[in-house]
Amino acid sequence: MGFSSTAGLTLLLTTVLICSIYMYSTVDLTSAKVNDAYNQHSEYLKNKLDEKITVFSVENSSENINITLLNEGQLTHEMANWDVLYNGTPVNFTIISGELYLAPLESAKISINASSPGRISVVSEYGNQYYYNLN
């Protein structure tokens, strides 16, 4: 082997080494992000399965509907992340009980500005829906 062959081989091996280091760091970072996203999604699905909320009672007055919800699951819920639908349309709700969080085995009261008849759907932060029909 001559000098030019040795220099070419050295340049080629150095380039392959640098590219492999760059590719390894990129793949390692990307796989860490994918793994973290998978863990977050698994935790989300576990929480969705463990959630159990019951529409305990509904009181209807002339302009407002008061809904009492009971948390029979193991999770503490942040009610500000919930949605309430009245006949399929999102409506604003007020937390009457004053608590922002719904702890296990506790109840909370929310109020919406609507009248009966209608269908109420409370959508939790994990996407589960709890229905009640007003007749």
Side-chain angles (χ1 to χ4, degrees):
M1 260 195 198
F3 175 73
S4 63
S5 298
T6 305
L9 184 62
T10 305
L11 181 63
L12 182 63
L13 290 176
T14 305
T15 305
V16 168
L17 181 63
I18 291 172
C19 288
S20 63
I21 290 171
Y22 174 73
M23 290 298 291
Y24 175 76
S25 64
T26 303
V27 168
D28 186 46
L29 181 63
T30 304
S31 66
K33 287 181 181 179
V34 169
N35 191 30
D36 185 43
Y38 177 75
N39 289 337
Q40 288 177 357
H41 184 67
S42 297
E43 183 71 22
Y44 174 83
L45 291 178
K46 180 187 174 303
N47 288 340
K48 186 171 184 169
L49 288 174
D50 289 344
E51 176 181 271
K52 185 169 182 186
I53 297 174
T54 305
V55 178
F56 189 68
S57 68
V58 176
E59 300 165 359
N60 187 14
S61 64
S62 61
E63 292 183 7
N64 290 330
I65 298 174
N66 297 329
I67 306 162
T68 305
L69 301 164
L70 178 63
N71 183 3
E72 296 178 322
Q74 303 171 2
L75 303 173
T76 300
H77 299 280
E78 185 176 1
M79 292 189 292
N81 294 334
W82 289 4
D83 292 315
V84 177
L85 305 173
Y86 178 73
N87 290 332
T89 305
V91 293
N92 293 329
F93 66 95
T94 307
I95 303 170
I96 297 175
S97 58
E99 298 291 326
L100 296 177
Y101 296 95
L102 182 57
L105 301 177
E106 295 289 324
S107 64
K109 268 192 169 184
I110 61 174
S111 176
I112 61 172
N113 188 10
S115 60
S116 64
R119 184 177 170 124
I120 298 170
S121 173
V122 178
V123 183
S124 72
E125 59 195 290
Y126 298 110
N128 292 330
Q129 293 183 342
Y130 304 97
Y131 298 101
Y132 190 84
N133 281 324
L134 287 169
N135 294 326

